[in-house]
Amino acid sequence: MRLGLLDIGSTAARLELVDLDRAKLPRATWSHKEKTRLSEHTRADGHVTDAGAEQAARAVEGCVRAAGDRLTGPLVAFGTMTDRKSGSAGM
């Protein structure tokens, strides 16, 4: 099975495709990165601006589009600690 791991961070979104096989250690077979620049779009109160959220969404779309037919299994997305602690974390 091939699993997609999407890490959405303050500077970039990175999609890695990992082949899972019980007989072998997990191994990333493909990777793609798109800029999010969330750190540039975070207000003093910790909330991400609308422009920042739109940029992050475009970065995610770019990663998934770049994967194309390679993404054949589930996609698991997660944010880094900085993003999870922002005031916009519940959006």
Side-chain angles (χ1 to χ4, degrees):
M1 173 172 67
R2 180 166 286 165
L3 176 69
L5 297 173
L6 179 61
D7 176 6
I8 305 165
S10 60
T11 60
R14 177 188 297 266
L15 175 59
E16 291 194 351
L17 301 182
V18 179
D19 286 335
L20 302 176
D21 183 338
R22 290 178 189 250
K24 300 177 186 175
L25 290 173
R27 181 175 69 92
T29 57
W30 182 87
S31 179
H32 182 78
K33 187 184 341 182
E34 297 271 339
K35 293 180 181 179
T36 61
R37 296 190 169 137
L38 286 174
S39 58
E40 297 173 20
H41 295 283
T42 303
R43 299 188 312 229
D45 64 2
H47 285 83
V48 175
T49 65
D50 289 343
E54 290 169 7
Q55 174 63 32
R58 283 193 298 274
V60 169
E61 289 171 356
C63 286
V64 172
R65 193 175 321 109
D69 294 348
R70 294 179 195 95
L71 182 57
T72 58
L75 176 64
V76 177
F78 59 95
T80 61
M81 183 61 74
T82 302
D83 302 319
R84 289 192 307 255
K85 286 187 173 183
S86 77
S88 304
M91 294 179 75

